[in-house]
Amino acid sequence: MTTSTAIGERSDRERRAGRVVKGVFLACAVLTVLITVGIILTLFRDATTFFAQVPVTDFLTGTEWKPTQLTGDGEYKFGVLPLLSGTILITVVSAVIALPIGLAAALYLSEFASETTRSVLKPALEILAGIPTIVYGYFALVYITPFLSWAGIPVDTFNALSASIVVGVMIIPMVSSISEDALSAVPDDLRQAAYGLGSTKFDTSVRVVVPAAISGIFSSFVLALSRAIGETMAVTVAAGQTPRMLSILNIDQNLLQSSETITAAMVNVAHAEGGGGTPAYYSMFALGLVLFVFTFSLNIGAEVIRDRLREEYR
Amino acid sequence: MSVEPDPETAGEGASADGTAAGSGTNPFARSGWGPLYRALRDKAFAYALLFAALSGIAMVFILLAYVAVDAFSLLDPAHSSWVDWQFLTSLPSRTPAEAGFLAPIVGSLLILVVMVFAVFPIGIGAAVYLEEYAPENRITRIVRINIANLAGVPSVVYGLLGLAVFVRGIGFDSGIVLVGGLTVGLLVLPIVIVSSQEALRAVPDSYRQASRGMGASEWQTLRNVTLPQALPGILTGTILALGRAIGETAPLIMIGAATSVFSVPTTLFDSVSAMPMQIYNWRARPQPEFRYGVVAAGVVVLLATMILLNATAILLRNRYQRSDT
């Protein structure tokens, strides 16, 4: 749109300034790309150092995680499975809480709420997302766990259930805001057509609008899962630091007891390891790599799903 | 639009199955129970959705109320409020009554200062390039998607990046103000870029064309027209990013920031703690006064700072919202 010789470029000085400025802005944009490259290089380089000391197979199949304390046989253990199962447990339970509530809130906001209700409800939901995760962890530890005990649920001081509850609450706004965008993007023609056929609001919402927006809704679910997997402080504070294998037979026990996720393990190693150069230090990068691969592919997946929605109505 | 009950589908839809798949019948088939039932079902559904939406919000507001009660000792007349002048101006202590929040408050503020000067210009610059200069091609698109994805990278991974680049790479001491500010800055950079892009996109193209038509160069247009117009939007976005940054804990732990420092940092190379770090430290203390009183007071100060930042952002947005939209 802009040609290289605009009428107004009077002085050489001005033209040179324009070029310099453009270069500076370009450098800024390049830097963002370098950050991504930096993350990937850092993770790979130091994870490689780790895998030179601890075989990949031991890492991927090991069922014990003891990076900083010697075990009975005089060795450190770097099995990722207990951390993975802790992460999966908390992610799944928090999703069970957040996905239905988030979708319900989105549906209410887009189809039922009056302008006034919206103007109160939306910011209120945004507040949930703005509270620092350490505060959520504190809530879980100091208020929710005692409440669960009081309600007769035999939870330990540190337990996966409280952590899952707060992580669930934390990701509700993400589900609701992205789902609401998808629901609002459904063309009004579809609603009018449904009403024309004699549908009520319930029929229209549940059988027309939600199916029409399903890929956007699904994309919000995927992003929420990614967020739950990467969530750190709430689970570090509330779920404790006991790496524990998930066993299908007594999931309830797993929920009531302390657990450890990938993110929490990273924080705990960082806290215990001042220096560097030990296998424990490098294990953080191996864990970071696992975490990055998981969340990055989920984010890309959500993007792909959302792209498909865009094609549908244009 | 009167609706007659349809005897064929009576009994179907009695339970709000809520699934789109339905039961194989025409999805628009009239429920057999008549208009009253349908109206009631609509109402019930709307209230159920509202109830679900409110449940999460209500829980958090109840928890916030609990924190306020604990922080201000509302139910314990024997003890005065934990949030007081002494709390705001003292250094950490082993005794709950003497524990203070000064060092982490100053630490958090210094981290924000580093971000404002070192990271925000880069973010705004990247946004300007992407919106005003970048050619519409594949590479630009990839850069945009990349930035969106960076916003989804877990914060603890940014902590690793900070550790590897600034501490082990450049050789700064671990846990100092500068490293903390830069690391948290990298984390919020994508947020700054995305919100600045939106602000720039909101400036009508006619403004740019008018400026160019007057004979102004690209850079003059940007400097005199586009940037000033977008500034309130950019400010709003960056202040929201500050609010996000002030609550970050995990990246600071990864770069080795202390959970408690016993002197107020004064230079960029001093050890730094931050409000969430101090909270992380206090909640692990065994005394109940720490758990319920001092931590609650810290949480109240942290949340108050965040609300202050967010309220500023919202006020700015409302004040400068263009009247022509």
Side-chain angles (χ1 to χ4, degrees):
Chain A
M1 177 174 54
T2 53
T3 49
S4 52
T5 50
I7 323 159
E9 282 177 317
R10 283 174 231 99
S11 68
D12 272 356
R13 223 180 105 229
E14 187 62 42
R15 213 173 310 156
R16 227 176 304 128
R19 266 204 306 275
V20 168
V21 162
K22 183 176 173 181
V24 169
F25 289 141
L26 173 64
C28 295
V30 168
L31 194 73
T32 66
V33 180
L34 288 183
I35 292 171
T36 320
V37 176
I39 291 178
I40 294 171
L41 277 186
T42 303
L43 291 178
F44 268 103
R45 198 194 55 202
D46 288 338
T48 312
T49 315
F50 174 72
F51 290 127
Q53 300 168 355
V54 177
V56 183
T57 44
D58 286 10
F59 178 68
L60 291 179
T61 60
T63 54
E64 249 189 296
W65 179 261
K66 283 223 159 49
T68 51
Q69 274 177 327
L70 286 174
T71 47
D73 50 4
E75 278 182 46
Y76 300 109
K77 302 278 185 182
F78 295 99
V80 78
L81 288 181
L83 304 178
L84 205 57
S85 60
T87 304
I88 291 172
L89 177 69
I90 289 180
T91 304
V92 168
V93 177
S94 61
V96 167
I97 294 168
L99 303 191
I101 293 182
L103 179 56
L107 201 54
Y108 186 80
L109 284 173
S110 91
E111 306 296 315
F112 292 90
S114 68
E115 216 27 69
T116 337
T117 324
R118 272 174 73 89
S119 65
V120 177
L121 217 51
K122 267 193 105 160
L125 276 169
E126 278 164 13
I127 289 176
L128 305 195
I131 294 176
T133 65
I134 179 89
V135 173
Y136 273 113
Y138 169 71
F139 283 166
L141 182 68
V142 175
Y143 300 114
I144 295 179
T145 298
F147 173 79
L148 293 175
S149 306
W150 174 83
I153 303 170
V155 287
D156 293 349
T157 311
F158 298 102
N159 64 86
L161 183 60
S162 299
S164 307
I165 292 174
V166 288
V167 173
V169 171
M170 209 182 304
I171 59 181
I172 288 173
M174 173 166 258
V175 178
S176 67
S177 83
I178 299 175
S179 294
E180 200 218 331
D181 287 345
L183 292 168
S184 312
V186 173
D188 229 22
D189 302 359
L190 287 184
R191 292 187 188 83
Q192 302 298 346
Y195 290 139
L197 288 168
S199 296
T200 64
K201 209 147 189 176
F202 171 81
D203 293 322
T204 312
S205 320
V206 173
R207 295 177 177 170
V208 177
V209 181
V210 168
I214 198 72
S215 50
I217 293 170
F218 201 65
S219 147
S220 82
F221 286 2
V222 175
L223 276 179
L225 288 185
S226 147
R227 175 80 193 278
I229 290 174
E231 163 36 47
T232 308
M233 290 323 288
V235 294
T236 307
V237 168
Q241 37 181 309
T242 319
R244 202 188 293 274
M245 287 298 291
L246 190 65
S247 77
I248 303 293
L249 291 177
N250 43 2
I251 285 254
D252 52 332
Q253 283 306 310
N254 285 118
L255 265 180
L256 302 178
Q257 292 171 340
S258 171
S259 176
E260 189 170 43
T261 63
I262 296 176
T263 51
M266 290 167 73
V267 165
N268 289 327
V269 171
H271 216 55
E273 281 296 293
T278 61
Y281 173 85
Y282 289 109
S283 75
M284 293 193 295
F285 293 86
L287 292 180
L289 187 61
V290 171
L291 194 62
F292 181 76
V293 168
F294 272 136
T295 53
F296 202 76
S297 21
L298 283 176
N299 293 347
I300 299 266
E303 188 88 16
V304 169
I305 297 166
R306 222 179 329 176
D307 267 356
R308 218 190 277 161
L309 168 89
R310 270 188 213 122
E311 275 171 57
E312 234 171 279
Y313 294 115
R314 260 167 218 182
Chain B
M1 208 197 339
S2 80
V3 177
E4 284 161 334
D6 184 348
E8 274 177 36
T9 51
E12 183 263 321
S15 67
D17 54 15
T19 55
S23 47
T25 56
N26 174 6
F28 304 108
R30 298 160 188 156
S31 173
W33 292 21
L36 178 63
Y37 164 74
R38 287 158 46 108
L40 279 177
R41 189 178 57 173
D42 264 30
K43 271 264 174 291
F45 185 59
Y47 281 118
L49 291 182
L50 179 61
F51 177 77
L54 289 177
S55 58
I57 299 173
M59 189 177 114
V60 171
F61 279 91
I62 291 170
L63 291 173
L64 290 174
Y66 267 105
V67 173
V69 165
D70 283 344
F72 296 107
S73 291
L74 296 180
L75 296 182
D76 180 18
H79 193 282
S80 63
S81 166
W82 288 99
V83 186
D84 55 13
W85 189 244
Q86 178 271 332
F87 178 75
L88 294 176
T89 56
S90 308
L91 290 169
S93 161
R94 282 177 202 288
T95 343
E98 284 162 19
F101 214 37
L102 182 63
I105 291 175
V106 175
S108 282
L109 290 180
L110 285 177
I111 286 176
L112 295 191
V113 168
V114 171
M115 284 175 48
V116 167
F117 286 101
V119 180
F120 283 3
I122 295 174
I124 296 168
V128 169
Y129 182 79
L130 288 174
E131 285 306 309
E132 307 291 321
Y133 291 100
E136 254 329 302
N137 59 22
R138 212 189 159 84
I139 296 176
T140 310
R141 228 183 39 246
I142 291 174
V143 171
R144 287 212 178 104
I145 293 174
N146 178 41
I147 289 169
N149 268 315
L150 277 180
V153 173
S155 60
V156 55
V157 173
Y158 279 98
L160 278 182
L161 180 70
L163 179 66
V165 172
F166 300 126
V167 178
R168 297 218 315 133
I170 300 182
F172 288 132
D173 287 336
S174 59
I176 60 173
V177 177
L178 186 62
V179 174
L182 292 177
T183 304
V184 179
L186 288 183
L187 166 69
V188 296
L189 191 60
I191 307 174
V192 174
I193 297 177
V194 170
S195 55
S196 304
Q197 276 181 294
E198 272 162 19
L200 288 165
R201 222 172 296 151
V203 177
D205 230 19
S206 53
Y207 286 34
R208 295 184 187 89
Q209 281 157 5
S211 167
R212 299 285 282 163
M214 297 284 284
S217 72
E218 212 167 28
W219 165 228
Q220 284 169 329
T221 303
L222 185 65
R223 188 178 52 192
N224 299 327
V225 179
T226 320
L227 272 183
Q229 280 292 315
L231 196 63
I234 293 176
L235 274 181
T236 310
T238 46
I239 295 173
L240 288 176
L242 288 180
R244 168 86 193 277
I246 212 167
E248 283 298 339
T249 323
L252 293 177
I253 296 182
M254 300 309 287
I255 56 143
T259 55
S260 206
V261 293
F262 293 91
S263 61
V264 177
T266 47
T267 74
L268 293 183
F269 299 93
D270 287 346
S271 285
V272 70
S273 184
M275 290 195 261
M277 298 291 287
Q278 185 68 58
I279 290 170
Y280 178 67
N281 175 295
W282 277 336
R283 59 85 222 180
R285 297 286 176 88
Q287 304 100 306
E289 289 87 355
F290 267 115
R291 273 204 162 185
Y292 288 96
V294 180
V295 185
V299 168
V300 164
V301 174
L302 174 61
L303 289 179
T305 317
M306 287 199 37
I307 291 168
L308 194 72
L309 284 172
N310 291 351
T312 315
I314 291 166
L315 278 181
L316 260 175
R317 185 167 59 194
N318 291 347
R319 177 130 182 223
Y320 290 100
Q321 219 154 34
R322 287 203 324 277
S323 45
D324 56 350
T325 48

